[in-house]
Amino acid sequence: MHISELPTPAVVIDRDAVRRNITAMAAVHPGARLRPHVKAHKCTSLAREQYLAGHRSFTCATPNEVLGMVRANVGDDLLLANEVLDADRLHTLAHAQESTRITVAVDSDVTVDAAAMAGLRDVVIDVNVGLPRCGCAPSDAGRLAERARAHGMNVRGVMGYEGHLMMVTDRVEKQRQVHDAMTTLAAAANDVGGDIISAGGTGTFDMFADTEVNEVQAGSYALMDTQYALLELPFEQAMWVVGTIISANDQWKVLDVGLKSLGMDHGNPSITDGSVWFCSDEHITFAGTTARVGDRVRVTPAHIDPTMAMHSVAHVIQDDTVIDTWPIDLRGW
Amino acid sequence: MHISELPTPAVVIDRDAVRRNITAMAAVHPGARLRPHVKAHKCTSLAREQYLAGHRSFTCATPNEVLGMVRANVGDDLLLANEVLDADRLHTLAHAQESTRITVAVDSDVTVDAAAMAGLRDVVIDVNVGLPRCGCAPSDAGRLAERARAHGMNVRGVMGYEGHLMMVTDRVEKQRQVHDAMTTLAAAANDVGGDIISAGGTGTFDMFADTEVNEVQAGSYALMDTQYALLELPFEQAMWVVGTIISANDQWKVLDVGLKSLGMDHGNPSITDGSVWFCSDEHITFAGTTARVGDRVRVTPAHIDPTMAMHSVAHVIQDDTVIDTWPIDLRGW
């Protein structure tokens, strides 16, 4: 099938581009040095490409992502890098750990106790390293580890996500701030014990050389978006939402890709050689290309993660030929 | 089940509030004077409430919304208020018109011809009334109607969406601009013939008294959002995304509702008595409530339409009791 035969809006992933991104990252962080974050693509078929590139351990953001990875039998070591209190979901995760190693992040007495009560075996202590979100105070990490061990759980180490530093554009300043955050994390790791010191994302992936971090949780690098393209990263755009021009006049054109098929929290998407005016539920109004009614146009999302979460399938292309269809099978919670 | 037992994030709809909104709108626009837009909720169960309030005709934004309404057997007269070029989808719609009347918007030679080729019987001419999106030039409407009739199709009239006026806050100025836009639409209707003059949305629902508009396409009024709450409308918030606080400290709290469960194009959501700092994929960081880890918090979305589209079910509540579950069954394209 040619890309122009796809019903639109349609997510397309360039197989060669995604493989180049995976290869480029694996060269910097081979094997267990990278714990790819599946929240960026929510697609076990893409995770399998990462697995085949040598990464056996993965990061997830929701219980459903963990369970989907278990069902698809991708990954030997799954980290739920998020706090969960839902007893039913924790029990389901505990059941799933019979087939795959599952480790859950905890950052409070309540989350430690909930994990223990559900019968989970492995936890990491989630440490706040500057982003105002989850994570305990660094000084509290050792105490929480003791509490988890007192429940009989295995404390594998620490994680700390420096998300507030992803988009710092001055590399020297960014390096300094990442180093400071990871010094905090390393001190907490010393209090906690275990052997995992997990951190990072696509925006900081190459800034851990002088730190004790031993695994990086990047995810967006595989597909990329216009936000991360602002940084100088060795990854290329590998995913687009393809639309059809359904209306046009001398001043503007209208594409059948809208804000229900694009993550909008980082602003408008981009169209090569086009100027995006605004997005509606099912439309982008844009100007500046020679495309006509009926033509297909590729839209580059501003934020890859929520965009993937809005679609049920991704079409894999090589040049302009559709060679495979990957279910986006890790959606939901 | 109590609302606090729902796995989160969870869409909840207050049954009494949604019924009050439906009743308030039906008092202004009874029966066929309102053609409720299902894109705002993507839920046939909610559309059935609107049907029971007397509205037999509905507006849809995607072929899948039309087909879902046909499958659920809700609505006697479905308008696809959007241009479609996909031959397969148009054929499927033509097949579905054997059981339910389906009318498709057209705004160009290409869309007229595609509808005719697929065997669709009924069209409306979509007229641009000022919003830079779909819709033909008003002066071209009559010619397109002739073209459709030459194909043997029935031209039911015109539609024109004044979306650029929804958020004008000065009511006098808004009334003037809506009147001007609808004068344009009425002139096109005169050229086109037929008996439908369809326009409007929740933000302009009560501004058609001195116009020839005979049906209003409002949708958001049933559930509402913080954007429309900025206007003085007789509709109340009837939907929230419920989350669980999964992490907290003296300065901020973290809820398990994030930008993958909230339409973000109109900005951050709101939390009663809380101050939202920012949204991440699966989190809202906020401050200012007395809520603690494990507590449930209701989040009011800034934009209802894309928020509903991110969830597979809505839980119907009365006070704090879950009394029903409605599939959000009109997602996708």
Side-chain angles (χ1 to χ4, degrees):
Chain A
M1 187 190 273
H2 190 265
I3 190 172
S4 66
E5 297 172 77
L6 288 172
T8 54
V11 167
V12 298
I13 293 175
D14 184 305
R15 191 188 65 177
D16 296 340
V18 74
R19 285 185 175 172
R20 281 193 294 272
N21 288 341
I22 290 171
T23 301
M25 180 63 93
V28 178
H29 295 300
R33 294 273 313 171
L34 190 80
R35 188 186 280 276
H37 209 318
V38 302
K39 84 180 178 75
H41 53 69
K42 285 185 172 282
C43 175
T44 57
S45 301
L46 204 165
R48 192 170 287 114
E49 296 276 329
Q50 295 170 310
Y51 187 93
L52 293 174
H55 312 300
R56 303 289 192 255
S57 50
F58 288 86
T59 313
C60 303
T62 70
N64 203 47
E65 289 174 5
V66 175
L67 298 171
M69 290 289 280
V70 170
R71 271 194 300 275
N73 195 25
V74 182
D76 306 334
D77 180 346
L78 305 176
L79 170 61
L80 178 49
N82 198 1
E83 279 63 28
V84 176
L85 286 170
D86 184 311
D88 290 342
R89 285 173 175 158
L90 289 170
H91 274 110
T92 307
L93 291 172
H95 183 72
Q97 70 187 345
E98 299 311 319
S99 60
T100 307
R101 188 168 196 182
I102 294 171
T103 304
V104 172
V106 292
D107 73 348
S108 63
D109 289 359
V110 180
T111 47
V112 167
D113 296 354
M117 188 88 77
L120 284 160
R121 284 195 284 265
D122 291 309
V123 294
V124 294
I125 308 300
D126 186 1
V127 180
N128 185 285
V129 295
L131 175 71
R133 211 169 68 186
C134 298
C136 66
S139 60
D140 203 31
R143 188 190 66 77
L144 287 172
E146 284 310 303
R147 188 180 184 98
R149 290 196 180 96
H151 278 302
M153 290 190 292
N154 177 38
V155 181
R156 296 187 66 191
V158 297
M159 63 161 279
Y161 180 56
E162 74 292 1
H164 56 304
L165 305 180
M166 287 299 136
M167 295 308 297
V168 174
T169 47
D170 179 325
R171 276 188 62 87
V172 173
E173 177 60 18
K174 187 175 194 169
Q175 181 79 68
R176 190 188 64 73
Q177 291 189 42
V178 170
H179 191 271
D180 286 356
M182 294 308 119
T183 301
T184 300
L185 186 61
N190 193 51
D191 295 345
V192 164
D195 54 16
I196 289 178
I197 305 180
S198 193
T202 294
T204 59
F205 84 100
D206 59 351
M207 300 209 155
F208 298 102
D210 295 329
T211 74
E212 293 184 39
V213 170
N214 52 27
E215 55 174 57
V216 173
Q217 297 181 3
S220 301
Y221 77 97
L223 299 176
M224 290 293 287
D225 56 33
T226 63
Q227 174 89 345
Y228 272 128
L230 297 174
L231 304 174
E232 288 175 25
L233 300 173
F235 311 114
E236 63 191 286
Q237 193 61 38
M239 176 275 197
W240 299 266
V241 184
V242 175
T244 304
I245 296 182
I246 56 168
S247 187
N249 59 39
D250 291 346
Q251 295 165 273
W252 68 82
K253 298 151 209 279
V254 184
L255 202 65
D256 65 352
V257 173
L259 59 87
K260 282 177 176 165
S261 47
L262 291 163
M264 295 296 293
D265 59 292
H266 287 354
N268 282 337
S270 298
I271 293 174
T272 304
D273 300 328
S275 162
V276 171
W277 290 9
F278 66 97
C279 296
S280 314
D281 277 15
E282 303 293 357
H283 304 110
I284 296 172
T285 296
F286 72 107
T289 77
T290 57
R292 297 181 306 176
V293 172
D295 286 353
R296 303 299 166 106
V297 174
R298 292 189 193 197
V299 178
T300 310
H303 192 183
I304 185 66
D305 310 41
T307 302
M308 290 295 284
M310 289 170 164
H311 297 265
S312 58
V313 295
H315 303 280
V316 183
I317 58 172
Q318 196 167 26
D319 300 321
D320 284 334
T321 303
V322 179
I323 56 171
D324 203 354
T325 298
W326 289 346
I328 303 175
D329 50 355
L330 300 176
R331 302 165 78 195
W333 300 273
Chain B
M1 188 191 271
H2 190 266
I3 190 173
S4 66
E5 298 172 76
L6 288 172
T8 55
V11 167
V12 298
I13 293 175
D14 186 304
R15 192 188 64 177
D16 297 341
V18 75
R19 286 186 174 171
R20 281 192 294 272
N21 287 341
I22 290 171
T23 300
M25 180 62 93
V28 179
H29 296 299
R33 295 272 313 169
L34 190 79
R35 190 185 278 278
H37 210 317
V38 303
K39 83 180 178 76
H41 52 67
K42 285 186 173 280
C43 175
T44 57
S45 302
L46 204 164
R48 193 170 286 115
E49 297 276 328
Q50 295 170 311
Y51 187 92
L52 294 173
H55 312 300
R56 303 289 192 253
S57 50
F58 288 86
T59 313
C60 303
T62 69
N64 203 47
E65 288 174 5
V66 175
L67 298 171
M69 291 289 280
V70 171
R71 270 193 302 273
N73 196 26
V74 181
D76 306 334
D77 179 346
L78 304 176
L79 169 62
L80 179 49
N82 198 2
E83 280 61 28
V84 177
L85 286 170
D86 184 311
D88 290 341
R89 285 173 175 158
L90 289 171
H91 274 110
T92 307
L93 291 172
H95 183 73
Q97 70 187 346
E98 300 311 319
S99 59
T100 306
R101 188 168 196 183
I102 294 171
T103 304
V104 173
V106 293
D107 74 348
S108 63
D109 289 359
V110 180
T111 46
V112 168
D113 297 353
M117 187 88 77
L120 284 159
R121 283 195 286 265
D122 291 310
V123 295
V124 294
I125 308 300
D126 186 1
V127 180
N128 184 285
V129 294
L131 175 71
R133 211 169 67 186
C134 298
C136 67
S139 60
D140 203 32
R143 189 189 67 76
L144 287 173
E146 285 311 302
R147 188 180 185 97
R149 290 196 180 95
H151 278 302
M153 289 189 291
N154 177 38
V155 181
R156 297 186 66 191
V158 297
M159 64 161 278
Y161 180 56
E162 74 293 0
H164 56 305
L165 305 180
M166 287 300 136
M167 296 308 298
V168 174
T169 47
D170 179 324
R171 276 187 63 87
V172 174
E173 177 60 18
K174 187 176 194 167
Q175 181 80 69
R176 190 188 65 72
Q177 292 190 42
V178 169
H179 191 271
D180 286 356
M182 294 306 120
T183 301
T184 300
L185 186 62
N190 193 51
D191 295 344
V192 164
D195 54 15
I196 289 177
I197 306 180
S198 193
T202 294
T204 59
F205 84 102
D206 59 352
M207 300 211 155
F208 299 102
D210 295 330
T211 74
E212 294 184 39
V213 169
N214 53 26
E215 55 173 59
V216 173
Q217 298 180 3
S220 302
Y221 77 97
L223 298 176
M224 290 293 287
D225 56 34
T226 63
Q227 174 90 343
Y228 272 127
L230 297 174
L231 304 174
E232 289 175 24
L233 300 173
F235 310 113
E236 63 191 285
Q237 192 63 36
M239 176 275 199
W240 299 266
V241 184
V242 175
T244 304
I245 297 183
I246 55 169
S247 188
N249 58 41
D250 291 347
Q251 296 166 271
W252 70 82
K253 296 151 210 280
V254 184
L255 202 65
D256 65 352
V257 174
L259 58 87
K260 282 178 176 166
S261 47
L262 291 164
M264 295 296 294
D265 59 292
H266 288 354
N268 282 337
S270 298
I271 293 174
T272 304
D273 301 329
S275 163
V276 171
W277 289 10
F278 66 96
C279 296
S280 314
D281 276 15
E282 303 292 357
H283 304 110
I284 297 172
T285 296
F286 72 107
T289 78
T290 57
R292 296 180 306 176
V293 172
D295 286 354
R296 302 299 166 108
V297 173
R298 292 190 193 196
V299 179
T300 310
H303 192 183
I304 186 66
D305 310 42
T307 302
M308 290 295 283
M310 290 170 166
H311 297 266
S312 57
V313 295
H315 305 278
V316 184
I317 58 171
Q318 197 167 26
D319 300 321
D320 284 334
T321 302
V322 180
I323 57 172
D324 204 354
T325 298
W326 289 347
I328 302 175
D329 50 354
L330 300 176
R331 303 165 77 195
W333 301 274

